[in-house]
Amino acid sequence: GRALPHTAAMVRRYLWTPTLGRHFVTVCRWPAAWVARPAAVRASWMHCSFSSSVAGGGNSNANTTGGTSVEAGASVERGAQSGDEAGQDTSDTTLRRAILDEALLHVPQHGWTVQAIIEGVKAQGLSPSAHGIFTRGPIELVEHFHAKCHEEWVGDLETAQMEGMSAPQKISTAVGLRLMKQGAMISTWPQALALQALPSNAASAISGLAKTCDAACNIAGPAPVDINWFSKRITLGGIYMGAELYMLTDYSEDFADTRDFLERQVTDAERAGSTLGFALKHMEGLMHSALENLQAHKDRTRP
């Protein structure tokens, strides 16, 4: 088990390519997730496999009726074991979510740290050492928060009143609603951004951003899937990240300045067009401006 993280690191270091990167992330994650499963689940799977192999070996000299009976028995056993494993997985997922939900309550005090997860574990009546089930550390807490915000946001979009708005207004309103979900965590959000920027976490962060941009663009109405379809989402991704950084230094009431920033940027992008070259240049310019703004306000504290 201890060799698996090292193997995954070696694969990512020496075999990583832009084309295959996503597949390697998937391949490298499952062994760690398997090791993190409770021993009872692994033992159940091992017992199921062993029972099947023994049953198969015992059938070699049996008559047809006996062989069929044994195979049927083995099949039923495998089905029962699979059902038990599925039930255990569901129970584990529910427990993990409960721990992370509780841990979010401690983020304002402890930040996006292992300590916050430990507090969530203790709230479930478990030993503090049980925080080790989150093998990727605090980034799992950040991703859980993003997932909760996204789910709530999608529900809000279904009931949002946007009749009579132009496409840029709909998009900026939708993105503004999503960013406001992070408002309660704004004092600790720089730490969350730093965690997402780590190379090992960048893939999941980009995937989450892509989902957000796609949902926001769909608010404006259906569009053909062509080069503009992609460039619009790239442009919006840059605007979203720029607004996220801008929000860190926004001390206006209810982040009104961030909302204005969003509307201006989305409107300007719509007027300028959505070519791929523009999208990349626009993203670069936004990142540069946002980082300069962040640097200028680095010594200011939020009331």
Side-chain angles (χ1 to χ4, degrees):
R2 288 192 292 270
L4 287 174
H6 176 70
T7 302
M10 294 291 287
V11 170
R12 280 192 287 264
R13 181 176 181 183
Y14 294 108
L15 299 180
W16 184 273
T17 65
T19 304
L20 300 178
R22 182 177 59 187
H23 302 290
F24 279 126
V25 168
T26 302
V27 170
C28 290
R29 280 182 185 168
W30 77 260
W34 173 252
V35 172
R37 284 188 173 191
V41 177
R42 298 201 301 273
S44 173
W45 183 87
M46 292 292 289
H47 173 72
C48 179
S49 300
F50 178 73
S51 298
S52 300
S53 64
V54 170
N59 288 339
S60 58
N61 297 321
N63 57 38
T64 303
T65 303
T68 303
S69 176
V70 172
E71 288 175 1
S75 178
V76 171
E77 183 179 358
R78 286 195 297 271
Q81 294 291 350
S82 297
D84 292 343
E85 184 175 343
Q88 183 66 45
D89 286 345
T90 302
S91 177
D92 290 347
T93 300
T94 302
L95 177 60
R96 289 170 65 90
R97 287 177 178 173
I99 291 173
L100 292 175
D101 282 340
E102 187 67 31
L104 288 175
L105 301 178
H106 298 274
V107 167
Q109 178 181 357
H110 299 292
W112 303 91
T113 62
V114 171
Q115 185 58 44
I117 297 177
I118 290 176
E119 296 298 329
V121 168
K122 289 162 62 177
Q124 297 301 314
L126 301 175
S127 168
S129 62
H131 79 272
I133 65 174
F134 300 99
T135 57
R136 296 171 58 225
I139 188 61
E140 295 195 50
L141 183 57
V142 177
E143 291 173 354
H144 177 72
F145 177 70
H146 270 305
K148 284 177 63 71
C149 289
H150 187 84
E151 184 178 355
E152 294 174 3
W153 175 60
V154 170
D156 293 344
L157 291 180
E158 293 177 354
T159 59
Q161 301 297 322
M162 298 189 185
E163 291 80 3
M165 291 185 179
S166 64
Q169 288 175 328
K170 289 180 179 179
I171 292 174
S172 61
T173 299
V175 175
L177 288 173
R178 175 62 182 85
L179 282 173
M180 294 307 111
K181 298 289 183 184
Q182 300 168 191
M185 301 291 190
I186 195 65
S187 61
T188 60
W189 200 244
Q191 187 180 18
L193 291 178
L195 286 170
Q196 292 178 91
L198 293 174
S200 58
N201 303 330
S204 61
I206 293 173
S207 176
L209 178 61
K211 285 176 58 179
T212 299
C213 293
D214 185 56
C217 286
N218 288 337
I219 289 294
V225 181
D226 52 16
I227 189 63
N228 288 332
W229 188 93
F230 292 99
S231 60
K232 284 180 180 178
R233 283 154 177 77
I234 294 174
T235 301
L236 185 58
I239 293 173
Y240 185 95
M241 290 189 292
E244 197 171 25
L245 292 174
Y246 188 95
M247 191 175 176
L248 298 179
T249 58
D250 182 2
Y251 299 90
S252 62
E253 185 177 358
D254 197 25
F255 301 103
D257 290 347
T258 298
R259 295 176 185 270
D260 291 341
F261 172 84
L262 266 174
E263 187 171 353
R264 290 196 307 271
Q265 294 300 324
V266 173
T267 300
D268 290 347
E270 186 73 16
R271 289 173 179 171
S274 297
T275 63
L276 187 58
F278 170 80
L280 296 175
K281 289 182 179 179
H282 191 68
M283 180 183 291
E284 181 181 0
L286 278 173
M287 292 299 98
H288 181 73
S289 298
L291 289 172
E292 282 189 341
N293 186 57
L294 196 59
Q295 180 69 18
H297 292 80
K298 66 178 182 179
D299 297 326
R300 185 172 179 179
T301 56
R302 188 170 294 277

